[in-house]
PDB file of all heavy atoms in Angstrom:
ATOM      1  N   GLY V 681     -15.750  11.132  31.998  1.00  0.00           N
ATOM      2  CA  GLY V 681     -15.007  12.203  32.646  1.00  0.00           C
ATOM      3  C   GLY V 681     -13.555  12.236  32.238  1.00  0.00           C
ATOM      4  O   GLY V 681     -12.669  12.231  33.093  1.00  0.00           O
ATOM      5  N   PHE V 746     -19.171  12.581  40.460  1.00  0.00           N
ATOM      6  CA  PHE V 746     -18.811  12.978  39.098  1.00  0.00           C
ATOM      7  C   PHE V 746     -18.366  14.432  39.041  1.00  0.00           C
ATOM      8  O   PHE V 746     -17.268  14.741  38.546  1.00  0.00           O
ATOM      9  CB  PHE V 746     -20.004  12.757  38.162  1.00  0.00           C
ATOM     10  CG  PHE V 746     -19.777  13.268  36.774  1.00  0.00           C
ATOM     11  CD1 PHE V 746     -18.990  12.562  35.879  1.00  0.00           C
ATOM     12  CD2 PHE V 746     -20.344  14.469  36.358  1.00  0.00           C
ATOM     13  CE1 PHE V 746     -18.761  13.043  34.593  1.00  0.00           C
ATOM     14  CE2 PHE V 746     -20.120  14.952  35.075  1.00  0.00           C
ATOM     15  CZ  PHE V 746     -19.332  14.234  34.190  1.00  0.00           C
ATOM     16  N   PHE V 747     -19.201  15.334  39.539  1.00  0.00           N
ATOM     17  CA  PHE V 747     -18.874  16.756  39.456  1.00  0.00           C
ATOM     18  C   PHE V 747     -17.723  17.138  40.382  1.00  0.00           C
ATOM     19  O   PHE V 747     -17.104  18.181  40.197  1.00  0.00           O
ATOM     20  CB  PHE V 747     -20.109  17.611  39.721  1.00  0.00           C
ATOM     21  CG  PHE V 747     -21.025  17.717  38.532  1.00  0.00           C
ATOM     22  CD1 PHE V 747     -22.240  17.038  38.508  1.00  0.00           C
ATOM     23  CD2 PHE V 747     -20.656  18.472  37.430  1.00  0.00           C
ATOM     24  CE1 PHE V 747     -23.082  17.129  37.405  1.00  0.00           C
ATOM     25  CE2 PHE V 747     -21.495  18.560  36.318  1.00  0.00           C
ATOM     26  CZ  PHE V 747     -22.707  17.897  36.299  1.00  0.00           C
ATOM     27  N   GLY V 748     -17.436  16.278  41.345  1.00  0.00           N
ATOM     28  CA  GLY V 748     -16.281  16.513  42.201  1.00  0.00           C
ATOM     29  C   GLY V 748     -14.969  16.208  41.512  1.00  0.00           C
ATOM     30  O   GLY V 748     -13.899  16.580  42.016  1.00  0.00           O
ATOM     31  N   ARG V 749     -15.039  15.529  40.346  1.00  0.00           N
ATOM     32  CA  ARG V 749     -13.814  15.137  39.639  1.00  0.00           C
ATOM     33  C   ARG V 749     -13.601  15.855  38.313  1.00  0.00           C
ATOM     34  O   ARG V 749     -12.463  15.919  37.834  1.00  0.00           O
ATOM     35  CB  ARG V 749     -13.820  13.625  39.367  1.00  0.00           C
ATOM     36  CG  ARG V 749     -13.460  12.793  40.574  1.00  0.00           C
ATOM     37  CD  ARG V 749     -13.006  11.409  40.134  1.00  0.00           C
ATOM     38  NE  ARG V 749     -11.886  11.423  39.221  1.00  0.00           N
ATOM     39  CZ  ARG V 749     -10.607  11.563  39.595  1.00  0.00           C
ATOM     40  NH1 ARG V 749     -10.310  11.741  40.874  1.00  0.00           N
ATOM     41  NH2 ARG V 749      -9.640  11.550  38.694  1.00  0.00           N
ATOM     42  N   VAL V 750     -14.635  16.355  37.689  1.00  0.00           N
ATOM     43  CA  VAL V 750     -14.466  16.934  36.354  1.00  0.00           C
ATOM     44  C   VAL V 750     -14.527  18.457  36.378  1.00  0.00           C
ATOM     45  O   VAL V 750     -15.108  19.061  37.269  1.00  0.00           O
ATOM     46  CB  VAL V 750     -15.542  16.410  35.375  1.00  0.00           C
ATOM     47  CG1 VAL V 750     -15.549  14.890  35.339  1.00  0.00           C
ATOM     48  CG2 VAL V 750     -16.918  16.947  35.730  1.00  0.00           C
ATOM     49  N   ASP V 751     -13.901  19.041  35.372  1.00  0.00           N
ATOM     50  CA  ASP V 751     -14.070  20.457  35.084  1.00  0.00           C
ATOM     51  C   ASP V 751     -15.096  20.529  33.962  1.00  0.00           C
ATOM     52  O   ASP V 751     -14.778  20.242  32.802  1.00  0.00           O
ATOM     53  CB  ASP V 751     -12.751  21.081  34.635  1.00  0.00           C
ATOM     54  CG  ASP V 751     -12.911  22.533  34.182  1.00  0.00           C
ATOM     55  OD1 ASP V 751     -14.038  23.066  34.281  1.00  0.00           O
ATOM     56  OD2 ASP V 751     -11.916  23.117  33.713  1.00  0.00           O
ATOM     57  N   PRO V 752     -16.343  20.891  34.264  1.00  0.00           N
ATOM     58  CA  PRO V 752     -17.403  20.838  33.247  1.00  0.00           C
ATOM     59  C   PRO V 752     -17.281  21.904  32.166  1.00  0.00           C
ATOM     60  O   PRO V 752     -18.034  21.877  31.192  1.00  0.00           O
ATOM     61  CB  PRO V 752     -18.676  21.039  34.076  1.00  0.00           C
ATOM     62  CG  PRO V 752     -18.234  21.852  35.249  1.00  0.00           C
ATOM     63  CD  PRO V 752     -16.850  21.349  35.573  1.00  0.00           C
ATOM     64  N   LEU V 753     -16.337  22.825  32.317  1.00  0.00           N
ATOM     65  CA  LEU V 753     -16.164  23.881  31.321  1.00  0.00           C
ATOM     66  C   LEU V 753     -15.252  23.457  30.173  1.00  0.00           C
ATOM     67  O   LEU V 753     -15.248  24.084  29.113  1.00  0.00           O
ATOM     68  CB  LEU V 753     -15.598  25.141  31.972  1.00  0.00           C
ATOM     69  CG  LEU V 753     -16.466  25.798  33.047  1.00  0.00           C
ATOM     70  CD1 LEU V 753     -15.739  26.992  33.642  1.00  0.00           C
ATOM     71  CD2 LEU V 753     -17.819  26.223  32.482  1.00  0.00           C
ATOM     72  N   THR V 754     -14.461  22.411  30.385  1.00  0.00           N
ATOM     73  CA  THR V 754     -13.499  21.984  29.374  1.00  0.00           C
ATOM     74  C   THR V 754     -14.193  21.264  28.225  1.00  0.00           C
ATOM     75  O   THR V 754     -14.948  20.313  28.439  1.00  0.00           O
ATOM     76  CB  THR V 754     -12.438  21.055  29.986  1.00  0.00           C
ATOM     77  OG1 THR V 754     -11.772  21.744  31.038  1.00  0.00           O
ATOM     78  CG2 THR V 754     -11.420  20.648  28.938  1.00  0.00           C
ATOM     79  N   VAL V 755     -13.918  21.713  27.013  1.00  0.00           N
ATOM     80  CA  VAL V 755     -14.501  21.102  25.822  1.00  0.00           C
ATOM     81  C   VAL V 755     -13.583  19.982  25.340  1.00  0.00           C
ATOM     82  O   VAL V 755     -12.377  20.176  25.172  1.00  0.00           O
ATOM     83  CB  VAL V 755     -14.680  22.150  24.700  1.00  0.00           C
ATOM     84  CG1 VAL V 755     -15.234  21.499  23.436  1.00  0.00           C
ATOM     85  CG2 VAL V 755     -15.597  23.282  25.166  1.00  0.00           C
ATOM     86  N   ASN V 756     -14.172  18.809  25.142  1.00  0.00           N
ATOM     87  CA  ASN V 756     -13.431  17.672  24.574  1.00  0.00           C
ATOM     88  C   ASN V 756     -12.121  17.389  25.303  1.00  0.00           C
ATOM     89  O   ASN V 756     -11.050  17.339  24.701  1.00  0.00           O
ATOM     90  CB  ASN V 756     -13.151  17.899  23.088  1.00  0.00           C
ATOM     91  CG  ASN V 756     -14.400  17.793  22.238  1.00  0.00           C
ATOM     92  OD1 ASN V 756     -15.377  17.172  22.630  1.00  0.00           O
ATOM     93  ND2 ASN V 756     -14.377  18.408  21.070  1.00  0.00           N
ATOM     94  N   GLY V 757     -12.221  17.137  26.582  1.00  0.00           N
ATOM     95  CA  GLY V 757     -11.026  16.752  27.313  1.00  0.00           C
ATOM     96  C   GLY V 757     -11.116  17.005  28.797  1.00  0.00           C
ATOM     97  O   GLY V 757     -12.033  17.661  29.289  1.00  0.00           O
ATOM     98  N   GLN V 758     -10.129  16.454  29.496  1.00  0.00           N
ATOM     99  CA  GLN V 758      -9.927  16.688  30.920  1.00  0.00           C
ATOM    100  C   GLN V 758      -8.439  16.561  31.175  1.00  0.00           C
ATOM    101  O   GLN V 758      -7.796  15.614  30.690  1.00  0.00           O
ATOM    102  CB  GLN V 758     -10.686  15.683  31.788  1.00  0.00           C
ATOM    103  CG  GLN V 758     -12.193  15.890  31.825  1.00  0.00           C
ATOM    104  CD  GLN V 758     -12.619  17.129  32.582  1.00  0.00           C
ATOM    105  OE1 GLN V 758     -12.512  17.208  33.807  1.00  0.00           O
ATOM    106  NE2 GLN V 758     -13.122  18.117  31.842  1.00  0.00           N
ATOM    107  N   GLY V 759      -7.872  17.483  31.946  1.00  0.00           N
ATOM    108  CA  GLY V 759      -6.454  17.416  32.243  1.00  0.00           C
ATOM    109  C   GLY V 759      -5.621  17.448  30.978  1.00  0.00           C
ATOM    110  O   GLY V 759      -5.805  18.300  30.108  1.00  0.00           O
ATOM    111  N   ARG V 762      -6.934  15.106  25.575  1.00  0.00           N
ATOM    112  CA  ARG V 762      -7.690  15.951  24.668  1.00  0.00           C
ATOM    113  C   ARG V 762      -8.232  15.160  23.490  1.00  0.00           C
ATOM    114  O   ARG V 762      -7.597  14.227  23.008  1.00  0.00           O
ATOM    115  CB  ARG V 762      -6.808  17.093  24.148  1.00  0.00           C
ATOM    116  CG  ARG V 762      -6.270  17.986  25.260  1.00  0.00           C
ATOM    117  CD  ARG V 762      -7.367  18.779  25.944  1.00  0.00           C
ATOM    118  NE  ARG V 762      -6.887  19.440  27.161  1.00  0.00           N
ATOM    119  CZ  ARG V 762      -7.625  20.275  27.879  1.00  0.00           C
ATOM    120  NH1 ARG V 762      -8.855  20.534  27.502  1.00  0.00           N
ATOM    121  NH2 ARG V 762      -7.129  20.811  28.978  1.00  0.00           N
ATOM    122  N   TYR V 766     -12.537  12.087  24.846  1.00  0.00           N
ATOM    123  CA  TYR V 766     -12.396  12.424  26.268  1.00  0.00           C
ATOM    124  C   TYR V 766     -13.431  13.447  26.712  1.00  0.00           C
ATOM    125  O   TYR V 766     -13.287  14.058  27.767  1.00  0.00           O
ATOM    126  CB  TYR V 766     -10.989  12.953  26.549  1.00  0.00           C
ATOM    127  CG  TYR V 766      -9.894  11.942  26.324  1.00  0.00           C
ATOM    128  CD1 TYR V 766      -8.909  12.154  25.359  1.00  0.00           C
ATOM    129  CD2 TYR V 766      -9.836  10.772  27.073  1.00  0.00           C
ATOM    130  CE1 TYR V 766      -7.896  11.231  25.146  1.00  0.00           C
ATOM    131  CE2 TYR V 766      -8.837   9.836  26.861  1.00  0.00           C
ATOM    132  CZ  TYR V 766      -7.871  10.075  25.897  1.00  0.00           C
ATOM    133  OH  TYR V 766      -6.879   9.147  25.690  1.00  0.00           O
ATOM    134  N   THR V 768     -16.732  14.996  28.330  1.00  0.00           N
ATOM    135  CA  THR V 768     -17.409  14.595  29.560  1.00  0.00           C
ATOM    136  C   THR V 768     -18.915  14.523  29.348  1.00  0.00           C
ATOM    137  O   THR V 768     -19.475  15.211  28.488  1.00  0.00           O
ATOM    138  CB  THR V 768     -17.101  15.573  30.708  1.00  0.00           C
ATOM    139  OG1 THR V 768     -17.548  16.888  30.344  1.00  0.00           O
ATOM    140  CG2 THR V 768     -15.604  15.616  30.988  1.00  0.00           C
ATOM    141  N   TYR V 792     -21.455  29.121  36.878  1.00  0.00           N
ATOM    142  CA  TYR V 792     -20.637  29.690  35.812  1.00  0.00           C
ATOM    143  C   TYR V 792     -21.509  30.606  34.956  1.00  0.00           C
ATOM    144  O   TYR V 792     -21.845  30.276  33.817  1.00  0.00           O
ATOM    145  CB  TYR V 792     -20.034  28.581  34.953  1.00  0.00           C
ATOM    146  CG  TYR V 792     -19.341  27.499  35.751  1.00  0.00           C
ATOM    147  CD1 TYR V 792     -19.976  26.286  36.005  1.00  0.00           C
ATOM    148  CD2 TYR V 792     -18.058  27.677  36.255  1.00  0.00           C
ATOM    149  CE1 TYR V 792     -19.346  25.284  36.739  1.00  0.00           C
ATOM    150  CE2 TYR V 792     -17.420  26.691  36.985  1.00  0.00           C
ATOM    151  CZ  TYR V 792     -18.079  25.493  37.230  1.00  0.00           C
ATOM    152  OH  TYR V 792     -17.458  24.514  37.956  1.00  0.00           O
ATOM    153  N   ARG V 795     -20.146  31.485  31.369  1.00  0.00           N
ATOM    154  CA  ARG V 795     -19.661  30.433  30.489  1.00  0.00           C
ATOM    155  C   ARG V 795     -20.611  29.234  30.531  1.00  0.00           C
ATOM    156  O   ARG V 795     -21.108  28.861  31.597  1.00  0.00           O
ATOM    157  CB  ARG V 795     -18.258  29.980  30.895  1.00  0.00           C
ATOM    158  CG  ARG V 795     -17.197  31.072  30.780  1.00  0.00           C
ATOM    159  CD  ARG V 795     -15.832  30.536  31.180  1.00  0.00           C
ATOM    160  NE  ARG V 795     -15.388  29.462  30.292  1.00  0.00           N
ATOM    161  CZ  ARG V 795     -14.276  28.754  30.485  1.00  0.00           C
ATOM    162  NH1 ARG V 795     -13.508  28.996  31.547  1.00  0.00           N
ATOM    163  NH2 ARG V 795     -13.919  27.800  29.635  1.00  0.00           N
ATOM    164  N   ILE V 797     -21.411  25.349  30.438  1.00  0.00           N
ATOM    165  CA  ILE V 797     -20.674  24.113  30.702  1.00  0.00           C
ATOM    166  C   ILE V 797     -20.716  23.218  29.467  1.00  0.00           C
ATOM    167  O   ILE V 797     -21.693  23.196  28.718  1.00  0.00           O
ATOM    168  CB  ILE V 797     -21.211  23.361  31.935  1.00  0.00           C
ATOM    169  CG1 ILE V 797     -22.659  22.934  31.766  1.00  0.00           C
ATOM    170  CG2 ILE V 797     -21.053  24.206  33.183  1.00  0.00           C
ATOM    171  CD1 ILE V 797     -23.173  22.120  32.940  1.00  0.00           C
ATOM    172  N   ALA V 798     -19.618  22.507  29.253  1.00  0.00           N
ATOM    173  CA  ALA V 798     -19.474  21.678  28.059  1.00  0.00           C
ATOM    174  C   ALA V 798     -19.910  20.236  28.273  1.00  0.00           C
ATOM    175  O   ALA V 798     -20.089  19.490  27.308  1.00  0.00           O
ATOM    176  CB  ALA V 798     -18.020  21.698  27.594  1.00  0.00           C
ATOM    177  N   THR V 799     -20.063  19.828  29.518  1.00  0.00           N
ATOM    178  CA  THR V 799     -20.438  18.447  29.824  1.00  0.00           C
ATOM    179  C   THR V 799     -21.793  18.110  29.220  1.00  0.00           C
ATOM    180  O   THR V 799     -22.750  18.874  29.344  1.00  0.00           O
ATOM    181  CB  THR V 799     -20.481  18.236  31.349  1.00  0.00           C
ATOM    182  OG1 THR V 799     -19.190  18.494  31.892  1.00  0.00           O
ATOM    183  CG2 THR V 799     -20.896  16.816  31.692  1.00  0.00           C
TER     184      THR V 799
END
Side-chain angles (χ1 to χ4, degrees):
F746 174 77
F747 281 107
R749 282 200 57 81
V750 305
D751 174 3
L753 298 177
T754 301
V755 178
N756 289 338
Q758 287 290 290
R762 300 293 169 175
Y766 296 118
T768 60
Y792 310 100
R795 297 181 63 185
I797 62 177
T799 299

